[in-house]
């Protein structure tokens, strides 16, 4: 690997640190003020770190790793040779935190854990795209708009749908919602449904 490629790889690693720090803090329900108090790092520095405006340094990452109770290599996403564990690199999209649970999101079936903050304002616009999706709610509530259907799923409930159907999902509140999402190309179906359309044999 040449010097230019090494620089690009390092830049990519450092860029991913900010979203990972934000995701860890939010998963633990910690405010920036609380984190500042426990680490001695100023609020402005923490904010700039999470937004990617401040380059992370060892002096900053060490106290943050201690505060979040994670290994330093988890903050920077350093791989371990032969280690079967997946080291997710969380990222934030449209205010929601995505934690990849597969090594190559986007190739074949991809798995994510999503953390949705309570949604305020009008329901998001329904969209369509290629693929098939399955979701399973871990905590909180997830409102799923699917074509003409308007469903609210709670912990332990699952749904699957063709993403060619206009759809949107969000958290109706008041607490954060967490769910697992499996997404795959069209045709790769999971065959799990939240509620059977007809009762099983022998049941009313």
């Amino acid at each position: 690997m040449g010097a230019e490629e090494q620089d690009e790889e390092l830049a990519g690693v450092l860029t991913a640190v900010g979203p990972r720090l934000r995701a860890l803090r939010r998963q633990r329900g910690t405010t920036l003020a609380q984190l500042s108090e426990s680490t001695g790092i100023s609020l402005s520095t923490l904010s700039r770190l999470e937004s990617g405006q401040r380059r992370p340094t060892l002096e900053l990452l060490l106290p943050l790793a201690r505060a979040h109770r994670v290994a330093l290599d988890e903050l920077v996403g350093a791989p371990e040779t032969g280690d079967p564990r997946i080291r997710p690199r969380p990222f934030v999209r449209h205010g929601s935190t995505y934690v990849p649970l597969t090594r190559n999101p986007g190739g074949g079936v991809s798995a994510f854990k999503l953390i949705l903050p309570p949604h305020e304002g009008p329901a998001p616009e329904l969209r369509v795209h290629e693929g098939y999706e399955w979701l399973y709610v871990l905590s909180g509530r997830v409102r799923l708009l699917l074509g003409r259907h308007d469903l609210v799923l709670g912990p332990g409930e699952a749904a699957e749908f063709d993403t060619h159907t206009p759809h949107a999902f969000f958290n109706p509140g008041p607490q954060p919602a967490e769910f697992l999402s499996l997404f795959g190309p069209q045709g790769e179906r999971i065959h799990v449904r939240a509620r059977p359309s007809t009762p099983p044999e022998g049941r009313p």
Side-chain angles (χ1 to χ4, degrees), residues 44-65:
S44 61
T45 297
L46 290 173
S47 178
R48 292 172 61 203
L49 273 174
E50 290 191 358
S51 65
Q53 298 175 6
R54 172 70 182 264
R55 185 183 180 95
T57 63
L58 193 59
E59 290 80 8
L60 293 173
L61 292 179
L62 282 173
L64 287 171

Side-chain angles (χ1 to χ4, degrees), residues 109 129 131-137 142 144-147 149 151 153 156-169 179-197:
V109 175
H129 53 85
Y132 207 82
E133 188 161 357
W134 175 89
L135 59 87
Y136 177 85
V137 180
V142 175
L144 173 63
L145 306 179
L146 183 65
H149 300 283
L151 307 170
L153 305 176
E157 292 191 291
E160 66 162 344
F161 54 91
D162 185 327
T163 53
H164 284 101
T165 304
H167 64 280
F169 51 77
F179 68 93
L180 300 178
S181 171
L182 296 182
F183 177 80
Q186 183 64 22
E188 297 189 9
R189 301 190 175 188
I190 313 298
H191 299 298
V192 175
R193 298 188 182 277
R195 301 179 180 86
S197 55

Side-chain angles (χ1 to χ4, degrees), residues 5 23 48 90 94 108 115 122-124 141 150 161:
E5 291 177 329
R48 292 172 61 203
H94 305 303
I115 305 168
R141 297 186 303 157
D150 187 344
F161 54 91

Side-chain angles (χ1 to χ4, degrees), residues 102-113:
T102 46
R103 293 186 184 276
N104 298 304
V109 175
S110 300
F112 296 89
K113 177 181 178 181

Side-chain angles (χ1 to χ4, degrees), residues 10-180:
L10 177 60
V13 168
L14 295 179
T15 299
V17 170
R20 193 173 300 117
L21 289 171
R22 183 186 292 112
L24 284 169
R25 179 175 61 78
R26 289 180 174 175
Q27 286 175 31
R28 286 159 176 74
T30 305
T31 66
L32 281 173
Q34 291 170 331
L35 189 59
S36 175
E37 184 177 351
S38 65
T39 61
I41 301 172
S42 70
L43 272 171
S44 61
T45 297
L46 290 173
S47 178
R48 292 172 61 203
L49 273 174
E50 290 191 358
S51 65
Q53 298 175 6
R54 172 70 182 264
R55 185 183 180 95
T57 63
L58 193 59
E59 290 80 8
L60 293 173
L61 292 179
L62 282 173
L64 287 171
R66 285 195 296 268
H68 292 310
R69 298 193 180 113
V70 298
L72 183 62
D73 62 351
E74 290 188 37
L75 289 184
V76 298
E80 292 185 18
T81 303
D83 191 338
R85 293 175 296 176
I86 294 172
R87 298 185 176 277
R89 296 185 177 187
F91 59 92
V92 178
R93 180 178 297 166
H94 305 303
S96 300
T97 300
Y98 289 70
V99 184
L101 301 178
T102 46
R103 293 186 184 276
N104 298 304
V109 175
S110 300
F112 296 89
K113 177 181 178 181
L114 274 75
I115 305 168
L116 303 181
H119 178 81
E120 297 180 358
E125 182 179 352
L126 275 64
R127 61 192 180 96
V128 299
H129 53 85
E130 292 288 335
Y132 207 82
E133 188 161 357
W134 175 89
L135 59 87
Y136 177 85
V137 180
L138 298 170
S139 64
R141 297 186 303 157
V142 175
R143 184 176 173 187
L144 173 63
L145 306 179
L146 183 65
R148 295 177 298 172
H149 300 283
D150 187 344
L151 307 170
V152 176
L153 305 176
E157 292 191 291
E160 66 162 344
F161 54 91
D162 185 327
T163 53
H164 284 101
T165 304
H167 64 280
F169 51 77
F170 60 97
N171 175 5
Q175 302 297 326
E178 298 187 8
F179 68 93
L180 300 178

